[in-house]
Amino acid sequence: MAFKKLTVELLGADGKGLAGIPVKATGCSELNSSPIGTTLFLLEEPQIAIEIEGKEVFSATLDDMPAKLVFTQDGGNWKKQ
């Protein structure tokens, strides 16, 4: 089975990384973002959904999943860059 590494980066409106934000990817445990705003997942499920603070913000097949996703906090939501 194929695996893919995914980095999720969370930024505030000021462009700085946000620490301690819960992020989850399908088939992986929920992680909190690091002091620089990143989380790292090793993916293997055929269909992947990314959740930030319990809300789904992105989904794709494993083959179509990029190596890095960047999201900016936009009010109470997250906007993909």
Side-chain angles (χ1 to χ4, degrees), residues 10 18-24 30-33 39 41 51-55 78:
L10 306 179
L18 296 174
I21 306 294
V23 182
K24 180 156 179 32
E30 183 176 88
L31 302 173
N32 287 327
S33 57
T39 56
F41 296 99
E51 295 179 5
I52 302 174
E53 298 180 308
K55 297 177 185 173
W78 294 91

Side-chain angles (χ1 to χ4, degrees), residues 4-10 23 37-43 50 65-71:
K4 189 174 246 186
K5 184 171 77 169
L6 170 67
T7 301
V8 177
E9 184 174 11
L10 306 179
V23 182
T38 59
T39 56
L40 179 64
F41 296 99
L42 188 59
L43 307 173
I50 305 299
M65 186 64 68
K68 183 174 183 178
L69 290 169
V70 179
F71 294 92

Side-chain angles (χ1 to χ4, degrees), residues 55-76:
K55 297 177 185 173
E56 187 175 316
V57 294
F58 185 81
S59 66
T61 64
L62 182 61
D63 291 338
D64 292 335
M65 186 64 68
K68 183 174 183 178
L69 290 169
V70 179
F71 294 92
T72 303
Q73 197 170 36
D74 184 22

Side-chain angles (χ1 to χ4, degrees), residues 27 29 35:
S29 297

